[in-house]
């Protein structure tokens, strides 16, 4: 299910250079990539087990701070809910799309009356877990298969002046998601695509379901028009909001 990612992946360590931080010889990109890949496969082979963060971090050759970031990304998507501060339960990747739909529903992404600013109104701590949620939610709320991280950072930082911090965390999150084969890098700089199996169309969720033929006559007799494309102008309006922060 999770194929080896492309060799040009941008690791959190590489992207920390953008943030003015220095690489460590014990935290090289290839080490992070291989450790994360091994971690995913090991846990997928031993599902529904409780893991001690420090023990599994040492086993996979992570620096512990890096490992907490990886766990935070997966926790945001329902892959490994935390049991307590030092342990988690590995459920697996099967729950990701359901988790994405739950997040999008709770934030109003499928409600036509919700503008983009209404959906992305969070002003709390800028954690890796929260940035993961915000990043994935952008794909759904905007109905875009591809997101540019620099544009995403500019939008998410529109009201908190933390663009540099958010951009660094977005690159960290994207590195983990790419290794996990949830997103993939496109041929454009800083652009990533959400894989089809995790994408949800917001406009389809907004549109009424196909009517039962038995009640078609009553629908045709309605005084107001039956409009199955209610989501299209909503998405267009959200896209205008999004790009107005980048130009």
């Amino acid at each position: 299910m999770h194929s080896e990612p492309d060799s040009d992946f941008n690791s959190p360590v590489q992207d920390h250079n953008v943030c003015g931080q220095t690489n460590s010889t014990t935290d090289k990109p290839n080490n992070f990539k291989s450790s994360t890949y091994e971690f995913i496969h090991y846990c997928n082979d031993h599902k529904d087990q409780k893991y001690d963060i420090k023990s599994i971090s040492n086993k996979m050759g992570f620096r512990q701070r890096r490992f907490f970031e990886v766990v935070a990304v997966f926790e945001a998507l329902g892959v490994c809910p935390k049991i307590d501060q030092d342990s988690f339960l590995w459920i697996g990747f099967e729950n990701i799309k359901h988790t994405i739909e739950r997040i999008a529903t709770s934030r109003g992404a499928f409600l036509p009356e919700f503008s983009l600013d209404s959906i992305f109104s969070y002003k709390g701590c800028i954690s890796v877990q929260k940035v993961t949620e915000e990043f994935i939610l952008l794909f759904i709320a905007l109905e875009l298969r591809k997101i540019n991280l620099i544009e995403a950072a500019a939008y998410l930082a529109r009201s908190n002046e933390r663009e540099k911090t958010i951009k660094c965390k977005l690159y960290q999150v994207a590195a983990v998601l790419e290794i996990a084969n949830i997103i993939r890098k496109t041929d454009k700089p800083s652009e990533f695509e959400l894989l089809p199996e995790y994408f949800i169309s917001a406009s389809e969720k907004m549109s009424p379901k196909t009517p039962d033929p038995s009640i078609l006559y009553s629908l045709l007799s309605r005084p107001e028009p039956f409009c199955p494309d209610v989501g299209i102008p909503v998405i267009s309006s959200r896209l205008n909001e999004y790009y107005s922060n980048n130009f």
Side-chain angles (χ1 to χ4, degrees):
M1 176 180 175
H2 303 287
S3 59
E4 184 74 36
D6 295 337
S7 59
D8 64 345
F9 108 104
N10 294 316
S11 79
V13 182
Q14 290 173 310
D15 294 314
H16 272 201
N17 288 333
V18 177
C19 311
Q21 298 181 12
T22 305
N23 289 349
S24 164
T25 56
T26 60
D27 200 22
K28 294 178 181 178
N30 286 341
N31 287 349
F32 179 84
K33 178 180 177 180
S34 60
S35 294
T36 305
Y37 190 69
E38 183 181 354
F39 165 62
I40 292 169
H41 280 267
Y42 179 83
C43 290
N44 274 338
D45 289 340
H46 303 83
K47 286 185 180 179
D48 301 321
Q49 290 192 24
K50 177 182 176 180
Y51 290 93
D52 177 79
I53 290 178
K54 185 174 181 179
S55 296
I56 194 72
S57 173
N58 292 336
K59 181 181 180 69
M60 299 299 162
F62 281 97
R63 290 173 62 189
Q64 194 164 323
R65 181 172 61 85
R66 287 277 180 264
F67 189 65
F68 270 102
E69 293 171 356
V70 174
V71 171
V73 171
F74 289 145
E75 183 183 6
L77 298 180
V79 175
C80 59
K82 292 278 284 292
I83 296 173
D84 52 45
Q85 187 174 355
D86 300 313
S87 62
F88 62 87
L89 177 69
W90 186 269
I91 294 176
F93 287 74
E94 292 79 6
N95 198 42
I96 290 178
K97 189 168 185 178
H98 172 74
T99 301
I100 292 173
E101 184 169 0
R102 177 182 55 77
I103 292 169
T105 300
S106 67
R107 297 281 291 274
F110 303 141
L111 297 176
E113 63 269 26
F114 270 57
S115 67
L116 197 65
D117 283 356
S118 297
I119 297 168
F120 293 91
S121 58
Y122 177 78
K123 293 181 173 61
C125 175
I126 305 173
S127 65
V128 169
Q129 184 173 347
K130 194 63 186 179
V131 169
T132 302
E133 182 179 308
E134 302 281 273
F135 178 44
I136 294 296
L137 189 57
L138 279 173
F139 289 100
I140 309 305
L142 294 170
E143 202 160 278
L144 290 176
R145 286 287 304 279
K146 300 173 184 178
I147 294 287
N148 180 287
L149 299 188
I150 296 173
E151 293 174 352
Y155 177 75
L156 294 175
R158 68 197 182 283
S159 60
N160 59 30
E161 299 181 350
R162 301 287 302 278
E163 184 173 347
K164 183 177 179 180
T165 298
I166 292 174
K167 181 165 63 175
C168 289
K169 290 188 184 296
L170 278 170
Y171 276 105
Q172 292 174 335
V173 168
V176 177
L177 294 178
E178 186 182 15
I179 295 171
N181 210 26
I182 296 169
I183 63 173
R184 59 182 164 223
K185 181 75 175 64
T186 73
D187 57 358
K188 295 182 179 179
S190 301
E191 185 181 75
F192 289 85
E193 178 181 5
L194 182 65
L195 266 64
E197 55 264 41
Y198 302 114
F199 185 76
I200 302 170
S201 169
S203 62
E204 288 183 7
K205 288 284 186 179
M206 294 177 201
S207 300
K209 297 184 182 298
T210 303
D212 188 322
S214 65
I215 60 170
L216 184 58
Y217 179 79
S218 63
L219 286 172
L220 292 173
S221 303
R222 287 157 52 110
E224 68 274 11
F226 176 71
C227 180
D229 296 325
V230 65
I232 294 176
V234 175
I235 298 301
S236 296
S237 176
R238 291 177 183 176
L239 287 168
N240 287 335
E241 286 183 76
Y242 181 68
Y243 288 115
S244 68
N245 283 273
N246 286 284
F247 298 102

